């Protein structure tokens, strides 16, 4: 699933006229770049949630025949539901016999998606790509997986259980793999983050595991400065 329903408010006028999914970076739209990488990693079905300029995104995808795989559109008509609410709304489109990718539409990375998928263990509810970088918010992991989060803006620290073994703080990289059981464990309703779901599941004894992708190139295009930086970097490498 590609999360593409956000309004892109941090992009200002750019986001008002063009959804992040259709922004051109290095001659390729964001959604095509991500979709083709997911398909190359083994995805045979694409689920895309849409809201802001959703018709344009859907038209773009259908004009390209879903890049050759099965395509499902989850329309969030009233408002974007964030990642957790978006996943819940799209749940009827998922197969229930295999783990699945979840990928934010504003991430450019060469991280090994197939490696992330292979690292997802049978006993994990989800495996999240993480990296070492400066950010405002961190996820806290120990030997058994996710146990909390840290807000670097004010130092707020939330632990849903006591840490066990070595502890580490990671930045979330916006890409993860979920087990089919995850869909049945979402009890939240409305608009909410998938990270809130993961923390609750961790508090209940479920395992949310990290997968370190620090060595990979990773870019987030959430604001105009980062978008232009990504364009410059890809142009320099072309």
């Amino acid at each position: 699933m590609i999360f593409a329903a956000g309004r892109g408010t941090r992009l200002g006028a750019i986001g008002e006229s063009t959804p992040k999914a259709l922004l051109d970076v290095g001659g390729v739209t964001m959604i095509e770049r991500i979709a083709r990488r997911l398909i190359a990693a083994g995805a045979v079905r694409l689920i895309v949630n849409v809201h802001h300029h959703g018709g344009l995104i859907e038209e773009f995808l259908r004009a390209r025949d879903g890049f050759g795989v099965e395509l499902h559109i989850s329309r969030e008509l009233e408002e974007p539901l964030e990642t957790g609410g978006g996943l819940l709304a799209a749940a009827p489109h998922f197969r229930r016999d295999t783990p699945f990718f979840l990928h934010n539409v504003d991430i450019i990375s060469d991280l090994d998606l197939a490696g992330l998928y292979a690292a997802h263990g049978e006993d994990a509810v989800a495996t999240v790509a993480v990296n070492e970088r400066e950010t405002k918010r961190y996820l806290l992991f120990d030997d058994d997986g996710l146990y909390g989060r840290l807000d670097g803006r004010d130092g707020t620290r939330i632990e849903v259980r006591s840490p066990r073994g070595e502890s580490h703080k990671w930045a979330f990289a916006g890409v993860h793999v979920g087990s089919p059981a995850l869909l049945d464990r979402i009890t939240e309703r409305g608009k909410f983050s998938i990270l809130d779901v993961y923390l609750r599941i961790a508090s209940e004894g479920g395992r949310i595991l990290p997968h370190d992708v620090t060595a990979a190139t990773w870019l987030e295009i959430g604001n105009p400065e980062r978008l232009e930086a990504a364009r410059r970097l890809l142009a320099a490498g072309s």
Side-chain angles (χ1 to χ4, degrees):
M1 178 176 180
I2 301 174
F3 292 113
R7 292 193 174 100
T9 53
R10 288 186 298 147
L11 285 162
I14 298 172
E16 289 179 9
S17 61
T18 307
K20 286 189 287 186
L22 298 184
L23 288 173
D24 183 300
V25 183
V28 184
T29 64
M30 290 296 296
I31 199 161
E32 179 168 354
R33 181 183 300 277
I34 293 167
R36 293 198 182 281
R37 278 183 41 79
L38 290 170
I39 292 167
V44 296
R45 172 184 300 199
L46 288 179
I47 302 167
V48 181
N49 69 332
V50 297
H51 173 76
H52 179 58
H53 290 306
L56 294 178
I57 299 172
E58 185 170 351
E59 180 181 352
F60 179 87
L61 293 170
R62 296 201 184 282
R64 286 151 184 79
D65 194 29
F67 307 109
V69 300
E70 188 177 337
L71 173 66
H72 295 261
I73 304 295
S74 180
R75 302 175 186 89
E76 299 174 12
L77 300 178
E78 295 185 3
E79 64 176 341
L81 299 173
E82 299 189 18
T83 49
L87 176 59
L88 178 63
H93 298 297
F94 282 82
R95 293 170 54 181
R96 297 301 184 105
D97 60 348
T98 186
F100 48 83
F101 286 109
L102 299 170
H103 201 304
N104 291 358
V105 79
D106 58 1
I107 301 298
I108 295 176
S109 179
D110 62 2
L111 70 90
D112 181 3
L113 289 172
L116 169 62
Y117 194 88
H120 179 67
E122 292 184 359
D123 63 338
V125 178
T127 300
V128 299
V130 295
N131 51 22
E132 296 268 11
R133 60 182 168 86
E134 291 295 321
T135 185
K136 294 179 180 178
R137 298 174 182 173
Y138 294 93
L139 297 177
L140 304 175
F141 293 89
D142 61 12
D143 291 347
D144 287 335
L146 181 69
Y147 75 91
R149 64 182 172 192
L150 174 66
D151 192 328
R153 296 171 298 183
D154 58 9
T156 301
R157 184 184 183 98
I158 297 174
E159 296 184 4
V160 298
R161 61 168 175 79
S162 298
R164 295 186 282 267
E166 185 176 355
S167 180
H168 196 98
K169 70 176 185 179
W170 297 97
F172 176 46
V175 187
H176 27 154
V177 174
S179 291
L182 169 61
L183 300 172
D184 297 321
R185 296 191 66 167
I186 300 176
T187 59
E188 294 79 0
R189 293 295 181 269
K191 180 170 65 174
F192 55 93
S193 168
I194 190 63
L195 297 181
D196 292 333
V197 178
Y198 288 165
L199 285 165
R200 177 184 52 75
I201 290 175
S203 75
E204 297 168 350
R207 301 191 75 200
I208 310 296
L209 300 180
H211 182 71
D212 184 8
V213 298
T214 303
T217 297
W218 188 92
L219 302 165
E220 185 259 343
I221 63 157
N223 60 41
E225 295 74 23
R226 291 177 180 177
L227 173 60
E228 289 308 310
R231 285 172 169 166
R232 288 194 300 269
L233 181 63
L234 291 183
S238 60

